Amino acid sequence: CCRDKSFLHYKLGRIFDLMDFDKDGKFERKDFTNWTNKSMENMAGIGYEVTDEHRKKTERLAISVYNIFTLYGLMGKNKKRYVGFVSVVSQMPGFNMIVKLLMKKPFKLYDFDDSGDW
């Protein structure tokens, strides 16, 4: 019948907690853009050249990724809703293929030295 999803729910809950940048219990667009800006600061802090153009591209991409992962914000209202939505969607046929396609662009933006390693 159904496999136990407790580990999946635990991991998705942790992702929600990490992405809730301001720790208000909601995963909003500003949380994701703040998280993205912080990651750009960290990349600049370890020596990578982060241009304004790169920051703008990353912020635009962050908004589109946020919209996909939270169904345009509807599923980011609270942890339970987010975990339930992503756990159902992740069990759908073709999910892995779609995620691989979606993640190519963010990976390229964060691969500053074109090494294929992030």
Side-chain angles (χ1 to χ4, degrees), residues 41-94:
E41 289 172 21
N42 291 340
M43 294 303 274
I46 59 173
Y48 289 106
E49 182 180 340
V50 180
T51 63
D52 287 337
E53 180 185 340
H54 197 86
R55 286 180 191 275
K56 287 177 188 174
K57 281 183 183 177
T58 306
E59 190 167 332
R60 278 194 307 265
L61 181 66
I63 291 168
S64 66
V65 169
Y66 168 82
N67 288 336
I68 291 166
F69 279 111
T70 64
L71 196 60
Y72 294 90
L74 295 174
M75 299 303 146
K77 302 282 183 211
N78 61 46
K79 186 188 246 182
K80 182 178 179 182
R81 185 183 280 188
Y82 175 79
V83 169
F85 170 70
V86 177
S87 66
V88 168
V89 170
S90 68
Q91 303 301 311
M92 297 174 101

Side-chain angles (χ1 to χ4, degrees), residues 10-26:
Y10 167 76
K11 292 302 281 182
L12 291 172
R14 292 281 299 135
I15 289 170
F16 182 91
D17 290 340
L18 289 170
M19 297 310 244
D20 181 16
F21 195 81
D22 58 8
K23 306 298 181 206
D24 65 352
K26 294 181 259 179

Side-chain angles (χ1 to χ4, degrees), residues 22-36:
D22 58 8
K23 306 298 181 206
D24 65 352
K26 294 181 259 179
F27 180 29
E28 300 168 312
R29 181 181 286 175
K30 66 179 176 149
D31 290 319
F32 205 66
T33 54
N34 287 340
W35 182 84
T36 302

